[in-house]
Amino acid sequence: MAAASAAGPVANVFPFRDARAAPDPVLEAGPEAHGPLPVPLVLDNGSFQARAGWACPGPDPGPEPRLQFRAVCARGRGGARGGAGPQVGNALGSLEPLRWMLRSPFDRNVPVNLELQELLLDYSFQHLGVSSQGCVDHPIVLTEAVCNPLYSRQMMSELLFECYGIPKVAYGIDSLFSFYHNKPKNLISSGLIISSGYQCTHILPILDGRLDAKNCKRINLGGSQAAGYLQRLLQLKYPGHLAAITLSRMEEILHEHSYVAEDYVAELQKWRCPDYYENNVHKMQLPFSSKLLGSTLSSEEKQERRQQQLRRLQELNARRREEKLQLDQERLDRLLCVQELLEDGQMDQFHKALIELNMDSPEELQSYIQKLSSAVEQAKQKILQAEVTLEVDVVDSKPETPDLEQLEPTLEDVESINDFEPLFSEETPEVEKPVATVQPVFNLAAYHQLFVGTERIRAPEIIFQPSLIGEEQAGVAETLQYILDRYSKDVQDMLVQNVFLTGGNMMYPGMKGRIEKELLEMRPFQSSFKVQLASNPVLDAWYGARDWALDHLDDDEVWITRKEYEEKGGEYLKEHCASNIYVPIRLPKQASRFSDAQAPGKGSGASGGGAGEQA
């Protein structure tokens, strides 16, 4: 909770970093990847971020994964024909301009699109220095979802064995690999894993080092839903900045400015205090243009610009008068032609022309002619006066001290200028006034600030209260209680002694304290429990997969070879301490035998049918 009251720079004003991903370099495989035995490749295939690296044997297995990139791709701007081709991960740079065309191979946390998954694997192999043109001569450790559907594993195995020609593969759950990395070596332990990622949250009971898949539960909420909820909250709060409130910036707020309240209702009560709000609100500064703060023109330049605008206004009025004069003159000429028909005695054509003009009598025609004639004469006089006034203004005007009182514009010119007065509402600046006295109407920087107050705790709260966003699901505490109730008292006491938190959505400050508070409320009086947070909730899954690969490098009982893939199918899985439970596909063989037995019985009479039924 210390992060909630930490003071930020300049009265809690934080600029958005708007980090742009740098393209990943194409690395060399290095001598460590070419040993006497093929070095395993470890791929943490996450729905938010993919991580890839080598599991190098030896005392120093190497640093963090060499490759980390967002698990999205988009077609190049050049299009499908002759363009740059699909771009993957960090090669996209900023995601917001391409948000509408981003595609992911995942549905929730399960990969379902074979072509997009192949793009991610190509990107990983290429930038790790692996030649994937012929085949990938390295064993691969790949993470998969909890209770992964057989179709998804079959698709992945087919891609790895048929497209890349790998020698063998091992599948495991990312949160179990993280659990494996954080537990003491050679210790078979039990516990409860709470893993929250980008798309969903899992609660996994571990009994004697193996996953109890029957009692696993999933909540379809994670970091993606929290970012979307925070975006809706701030867009409703600041409707003038809809375009600036992007998902990338919401993820930045979640990662760096949000926290989990130990008591949500009590924390909301604290935010009602003005002093608490002022000390803890985070003001996120949106980018804006400082040119709008004030003009840097001198008084002479402003005066010259004002004269130019006034001159353009006069020219505009003169042009409009000329156009109106031309239209009136054409109409007057037409009416005069009709009047000549009356004078020449051509009554039929005259009455037809009156009907076309929508007039009833010659007297009405005569009145229209008189009105148009007077209007044309007045317009010509105004145009002449405007030209004379403009010439006098150009010849007699003095730019240093203009004498505006000598000009005597007509009443209509004054009215026209008054009509356009809002365009020139600023007064003529005095010479002795300095330019620095020009102040903006309002603080533009403050206008472009997002005050993130209770939103800091409301967005992460959705995994505990899904009803905040209208989801009819149980929260983490209710699901945890439901899972514990399925076991006996002794097993419950054993599980709560090792509650393990992992996943990127568990990195909020205060998350461990909140889980401890929920367990304290649901456990019996004076009972004990222990909550442990992963040393690195984001990368421990990759570290654990690397450690597991090095510990089981020569164990054929956990690796799926190409021969076993061809014999038992792509959905085949070898179980181990970090894997799912393998449930093979059960084909309805009895139905096929019954149909085969019925076929000869149809031609052999009733006895054959009876024998078939008994069989």
Side-chain angles (χ1 to χ4, degrees):
M1 205 60 63
S5 58
V10 192
N12 292 354
V13 177
F14 300 87
F16 281 108
R17 292 186 294 107
D18 289 336
R20 181 183 178 90
D24 292 310
V26 178
L27 305 173
E28 296 292 336
E32 66 276 4
H34 302 288
L37 294 176
V39 177
L41 265 173
V42 180
L43 302 177
D44 183 7
N45 194 33
S47 59
F48 178 75
Q49 192 179 54
R51 305 165 191 90
W54 300 98
C56 301
D60 185 13
E64 61 184 19
R66 291 190 173 189
L67 198 62
Q68 301 182 47
F69 59 93
R70 286 290 295 268
V72 291
C73 56
R75 189 174 299 277
R77 295 182 180 274
R81 300 180 180 178
Q87 296 180 345
V88 178
N90 295 334
L92 295 171
S94 178
L95 298 183
E96 288 309 320
L98 305 172
R99 180 71 67 179
W100 60 277
M101 57 188 301
L102 291 180
R103 300 182 65 191
S104 171
F106 292 88
D107 180 8
R108 295 278 180 182
N109 62 329
V110 179
V112 294
N113 192 312
L114 186 65
E115 296 179 0
L116 299 180
Q117 184 63 55
E118 184 179 355
L119 289 177
L120 298 185
L121 293 177
D122 282 343
Y123 185 84
S124 302
F125 295 148
Q126 176 186 359
H127 287 78
L128 286 176
V130 181
S131 175
S132 59
Q133 296 297 328
C135 63
V136 179
D137 294 326
H138 295 273
I140 289 182
V141 181
L142 188 67
T143 60
E144 64 177 8
V146 180
C147 300
N148 193 32
L150 296 181
Y151 167 75
S152 178
R153 187 183 303 128
Q154 180 182 7
M155 177 194 73
M156 193 67 68
S157 297
E158 179 182 351
L159 181 63
L160 292 174
F161 284 109
E162 302 293 345
C163 181
Y164 297 104
I166 64 171
K168 55 185 179 180
V169 65
Y171 295 104
I173 302 173
D174 51 358
S175 53
L176 293 185
F177 279 137
S178 179
F179 185 72
Y180 182 88
H181 177 70
N182 285 271
K183 74 177 182 64
K185 293 293 183 181
N186 301 322
L187 176 64
I188 299 177
S189 58
S190 301
L192 268 175
I193 300 177
I194 303 178
S195 172
S196 184
Y198 188 60
Q199 292 288 354
C200 52
T201 300
H202 291 94
I203 300 180
L204 314 176
I206 307 297
L207 296 177
D208 297 329
R210 299 302 295 272
L211 174 68
D212 185 10
K214 292 184 179 180
N215 293 318
C216 293
K217 296 300 174 184
R218 182 179 78 171
I219 304 171
N220 290 323
L221 294 174
S224 174
Q225 288 74 25
Y229 180 48
L230 180 59
Q231 185 185 35
R232 292 198 301 271
L233 288 176
L234 292 181
Q235 284 182 342
L236 288 172
K237 189 175 181 180
Y238 298 98
H241 300 303
L242 291 180
I245 301 175
T246 61
L247 278 177
S248 298
R249 287 173 176 165
M250 298 305 100
E251 291 171 359
E252 181 179 337
I253 293 177
L254 285 175
H255 295 165
E256 301 180 8
H257 303 278
S258 298
Y259 66 98
V260 172
E262 185 172 330
D263 189 333
Y264 181 68
V265 178
E267 189 72 17
L268 287 180
Q269 293 296 328
K270 292 181 182 179
W271 279 96
R272 297 181 64 180
C273 176
D275 293 337
Y276 187 89
Y277 178 87
E278 186 63 29
N279 294 331
N280 293 278
V281 66
H282 282 196
K283 304 171 184 177
M284 306 304 301
Q285 183 66 62
L286 294 171
F288 64 95
S289 177
S290 59
K291 294 181 180 180
L292 300 176
L293 285 176
S295 176
T296 59
L297 299 177
S298 62
S299 59
E300 291 81 3
E301 292 174 340
K302 287 185 178 181
Q303 181 67 19
E304 180 63 26
R305 178 171 294 184
R306 180 177 175 82
Q307 290 180 359
Q308 292 177 0
Q309 291 174 345
L310 195 58
R311 196 175 296 114
R312 284 198 298 268
L313 177 61
Q314 292 175 350
E315 294 175 355
L316 178 62
N317 287 338
R319 193 179 305 114
R320 289 179 177 175
R321 291 194 193 97
E322 291 178 355
E323 293 175 355
K324 186 175 183 303
L325 174 62
Q326 184 178 1
L327 293 176
D328 290 344
Q329 186 65 47
E330 292 177 355
R331 184 170 178 82
L332 179 60
D333 294 341
R334 185 180 179 186
L335 294 180
L336 291 175
C337 291
V338 175
Q339 189 177 18
E340 290 180 356
L341 293 177
L342 177 60
E343 295 175 354
D344 294 341
Q346 301 178 6
M347 301 305 295
D348 295 337
Q349 296 180 4
F350 173 73
H351 288 297
K352 188 182 297 184
L354 280 182
I355 294 174
E356 292 177 356
L357 294 174
N358 197 17
M359 294 184 183
D360 298 330
S361 62
E363 291 78 9
E364 186 177 358
L365 175 63
Q366 188 64 32
S367 64
Y368 267 98
I369 291 176
Q370 292 177 359
K371 290 179 182 178
L372 277 179
S373 299
S374 60
V376 168
E377 290 298 327
Q378 290 179 3
K380 289 180 179 179
Q381 292 178 3
K382 289 179 182 178
I383 290 175
L384 292 176
Q385 291 178 1
E387 292 177 354
V388 171
T389 304
L390 187 59
E391 290 177 359
V392 173
D393 186 16
V394 173
V395 175
D396 297 340
S397 62
K398 297 178 182 180
E400 295 79 12
T401 56
D403 190 4
L404 299 179
E405 295 180 356
Q406 295 180 1
L407 300 178
E408 296 181 0
T410 61
L411 181 60
E412 184 170 342
D413 288 337
V414 174
E415 293 176 353
S416 300
I417 294 175
N418 291 334
D419 293 338
F420 289 84
E421 191 62 23
L423 299 175
F424 317 106
S425 58
E426 61 177 2
E427 297 181 357
T428 305
E430 298 179 3
V431 179
E432 58 271 16
K433 284 188 177 181
V435 181
T437 58
V438 179
Q439 296 293 334
V441 178
F442 62 96
N443 190 346
L444 195 60
Y447 174 73
H448 286 83
Q449 288 178 0
L450 306 179
F451 284 55
V452 185
T454 57
E455 293 84 5
R456 295 176 59 196
I457 62 173
R458 292 174 68 184
E461 185 68 19
I462 64 171
I463 65 171
F464 294 96
Q465 300 185 54
S467 60
L468 290 176
I469 59 173
E471 291 287 342
E472 295 182 355
Q473 302 183 49
V476 170
E478 293 86 351
T479 308
L480 192 60
Q481 178 69 65
Y482 177 80
I483 292 176
L484 289 175
D485 289 342
R486 298 174 70 89
Y487 296 99
S488 62
K489 294 290 184 63
D490 297 337
V491 177
Q492 289 183 25
D493 294 337
M494 178 181 61
L495 291 177
V496 298
Q497 295 305 317
N498 188 12
V499 179
F500 180 70
L501 311 181
T502 185
N505 207 37
M506 285 287 163
M507 295 182 66
Y508 296 112
M511 178 64 76
K512 181 180 178 182
R514 176 63 177 270
I515 298 295
E516 291 175 344
K517 173 183 174 295
E518 299 291 350
L519 282 171
L520 184 63
E521 293 178 353
M522 70 177 66
R523 298 300 298 153
F525 179 64
Q526 291 186 343
S527 63
S528 62
F529 56 84
K530 182 180 179 181
V531 179
Q532 177 190 1
L533 181 65
S535 57
N536 191 333
V538 175
L539 295 180
D540 274 359
W542 187 89
Y543 289 139
R546 180 196 62 187
D547 297 343
W548 181 92
L550 294 176
D551 295 342
H552 299 81
L553 190 58
D554 299 327
D555 188 359
D556 294 335
E557 298 297 325
V558 296
W559 297 90
I560 305 171
T561 63
R562 182 178 182 86
K563 182 178 180 181
E564 290 170 332
Y565 158 74
E566 293 175 348
E567 290 179 356
K568 301 179 180 180
E571 70 278 358
Y572 178 62
L573 174 69
K574 285 188 176 180
E575 297 181 6
H576 52 84
C577 62
S579 73
N580 278 302
I581 304 300
Y582 177 53
V583 181
I585 299 177
R586 300 183 182 274
L587 298 178
K589 296 182 180 180
Q590 294 181 356
S592 61
R593 290 177 181 177
F594 180 78
S595 61
D596 293 338
Q598 284 282 28
K602 291 180 180 179
S604 58
S607 61
E613 291 176 1
Q614 293 176 0

